[in-house]
Amino acid sequence: IEKEVAEANLAAKIAREESLKEAKLKAEQSRLQKDHEEKLSSMRVMATSKVEYELQVVFRDAKDDLRVTLKNQKLLDYGKEEIQQLLKEGEERKEELMALNDEMDGAVKKLEGWLVAAETQQQQEGENGNSNSSSQSSKVDQIALPVDTHSSQMLQLAAENAAIDDCFYFLDQSLAQKNIPLKVFLEEVRKLSKRQFTVKAHLIKIRDAKASNPFDE
């Protein structure tokens, strides 16, 4: 009987020890599970925070890029409108200048025609014996005597315009023969063009003034 009691006590002891071991094992498993869940939760929080930060950076950069793009687009639209306006004004100015140049050329041609007619008439008079030998050798600028101030100014301006045309011709010949460099040619042509434009403009003004006041000396 004592032997059986001893065996029963031993078995009970072993059972208690196994029970304690199992309880400790469960407690350790529970602790490990809890630690794992806490670490996992912490990692989730960190990952969420990092993703949120990255998204904020991306959204901020996208917002900045969009703002710059819109600003640049606005500037481009404004610049396009300005360019279109300048081109329109340039075309209008070009048409005005072309019309003015046509008027000036017409006035110069009329004056040159008058000078040619006067020279022809003088030559015919010389051939018919209606003038002396001294008058037969007279040049056109000696017989073209203006009767008023406007005519005198127009005659001088027409002569200057013709002289500028001659200068253009000789400049072109000099450039072709390489007697002058291209830089000098362009500078002289620019200066002469400005002067010729002014001369023709004055011719038109004088013509209009003469037309409005035909009896003004």
Side-chain angles (χ1 to χ4, degrees), residues 115-132 134-140 142-144:
L115 293 175
V116 172
E119 183 179 10
T120 302
Q121 182 179 359
Q122 179 65 20
Q123 291 176 352
Q124 291 175 351
E125 291 177 355
E127 292 174 358
N128 295 331
N130 295 331
S131 60
N132 299 325
S134 60
S135 63
Q136 290 177 355
S137 62
S138 298
K139 296 181 180 180
V140 64
Q142 293 175 333
I143 65 171

Side-chain angles (χ1 to χ4, degrees), residues 6 12-15 19-20 45 57 61 66 72-73 76 85 94 100 124 139 152 160 173 181 214:
K13 182 178 180 181
I14 293 173
S19 177
L20 290 174
V45 171
V57 172
D61 293 342
L66 181 60
N72 292 337
Q73 185 64 40
L76 288 174
Q85 182 64 26
K94 178 181 177 182
L100 182 61
Q124 291 175 351
K139 296 181 180 180
S152 176
E160 184 177 355
Q173 293 296 315

Side-chain angles (χ1 to χ4, degrees), residues 118-214:
E119 183 179 10
T120 302
Q121 182 179 359
Q122 179 65 20
Q123 291 176 352
Q124 291 175 351
E125 291 177 355
E127 292 174 358
N128 295 331
N130 295 331
S131 60
N132 299 325
S133 59
S134 60
S135 63
Q136 290 177 355
S137 62
S138 298
K139 296 181 180 180
V140 64
D141 55 353
Q142 293 175 333
I143 65 171
L145 300 176
V147 297
D148 53 38
T149 303
H150 287 157
S151 298
S152 176
Q153 291 174 342
M154 292 184 71
L155 183 60
Q156 293 176 3
L157 291 171
E160 184 177 355
N161 180 70
I164 292 174
D165 286 336
D166 292 340
C167 289
F168 284 144
Y169 172 78
F170 288 111
L171 281 171
D172 184 67
Q173 293 296 315
S174 297
L175 180 65
Q177 296 173 5
K178 298 183 179 180
N179 292 329
I180 59 173
L182 178 60
K183 181 178 180 181
V184 174
F185 172 80
L186 294 176
E187 290 176 353
E188 294 301 324
V189 168
R190 189 180 298 111
K191 289 190 295 185
L192 290 173
S193 298
K194 291 180 180 179
R195 179 56 188 169
Q196 190 175 51
F197 180 84
T198 303
V199 168
K200 291 183 177 181
H202 286 168
L203 274 171
I204 290 181
K205 289 182 180 180
I206 295 172
R207 182 203 63 186
D208 295 341
K210 188 174 178 61
S212 60
N213 299 287

Side-chain angles (χ1 to χ4, degrees), residues 14-143:
I14 293 173
R16 286 196 300 272
E17 290 178 353
E18 291 294 331
S19 177
L20 290 174
K21 289 181 179 181
E22 184 177 356
K24 289 181 179 180
L25 181 60
K26 288 183 179 180
E28 184 66 18
Q29 290 178 346
S30 177
R31 185 184 67 79
L32 293 174
Q33 181 68 26
K34 185 177 180 181
D35 291 343
H36 176 72
E37 290 178 354
E38 289 178 353
K39 290 180 179 180
L40 183 61
S41 178
S42 177
M43 291 175 63
R44 287 175 179 173
V45 171
M46 292 177 62
T48 302
S49 299
K50 185 175 182 179
V51 170
E52 289 179 351
Y53 175 77
E54 294 294 336
L55 288 175
Q56 289 178 357
V57 172
V58 170
F59 288 147
R60 184 183 64 218
D61 293 342
K63 186 177 180 181
D64 293 338
D65 293 340
L66 181 60
R67 185 184 299 109
V68 172
T69 301
L70 292 175
K71 182 179 179 180
N72 292 337
Q73 185 64 40
K74 186 176 180 180
L75 291 175
L76 288 174
D77 294 339
Y78 178 76
K80 183 179 179 181
E81 294 176 358
E82 287 291 318
I83 292 174
Q84 291 177 348
Q85 182 64 26
L86 290 175
L87 289 175
K88 182 179 178 182
E89 293 176 356
E91 288 295 330
E92 294 175 352
R93 182 59 178 167
K94 178 181 177 182
E95 293 177 358
E96 293 176 358
L97 292 175
M98 290 178 64
L100 182 61
N101 189 64
D102 291 340
E103 291 182 7
M104 289 188 291
D105 289 341
V108 172
K109 288 180 180 179
K110 287 182 180 179
L111 186 56
E112 290 175 348
W114 180 82
L115 293 175
V116 172
E119 183 179 10
T120 302
Q121 182 179 359
Q122 179 65 20
Q123 291 176 352
Q124 291 175 351
E125 291 177 355
E127 292 174 358
N128 295 331
N130 295 331
S131 60
N132 299 325
S133 59
S134 60
S135 63
Q136 290 177 355
S137 62
S138 298
K139 296 181 180 180
V140 64
D141 55 353
Q142 293 175 333
I143 65 171

